[in-house]
């Protein structure tokens, strides 16, 4: 539905931008859920995203978590660097 709205109602948006927006909307909680709720890293790897997409997902995760709960943010901060290294090996 989001893809249809973006492509039909916005004249000056590229397919690339639509793809990025849809990725972020659909998977904005994936990184946090992997780190804190037991979702599988495989779900992220199976998306076959590029490093830039991964970095955007991390950024949106940290923005969400920072807005919700500072203790949760500290917990994710502790796990994030190892997680990033592991995933970057898989998506490179």
């Amino acid at each position: 539905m989001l893809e249809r709205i973006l492509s039909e109602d916005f004249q000056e948006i590229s397919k690339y931008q639509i793809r990025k927006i849809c990725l972020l909307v659909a998977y904005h909680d994936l990184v946090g859920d992997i780190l804190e709720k037991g979702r599988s890293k495989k779900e992220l790897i199976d998306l076959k995203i590029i490093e830039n997409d991964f970095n955007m997902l991390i950024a949106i995760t940290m923005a969400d978590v920072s807005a919700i709960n500072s203790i949760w943010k500290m917990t994710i901060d502790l796990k994030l660097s190892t997680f990033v290294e592991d995933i970057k090996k898989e998506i490179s």
Side-chain angles (χ1 to χ4, degrees), residues 55-73:
N55 291 335
M56 287 191 295
L57 286 172
I58 291 170
I60 202 164
T61 294
M62 296 311 293
D64 283 351
V65 171
S66 296
I68 294 169
N69 185 321
S70 60
I71 295 172
W72 190 24
K73 182 188 178 299

Side-chain angles (χ1 to χ4, degrees), residues 15-29:
K15 290 187 184 288
Y16 174 83
Q17 291 168 320
I18 291 170
R19 182 191 169 282
K20 296 292 182 185
I21 292 167
C22 290
L23 173 80
L24 294 174
V25 169
Y27 296 103
H28 72 278
D29 59 352

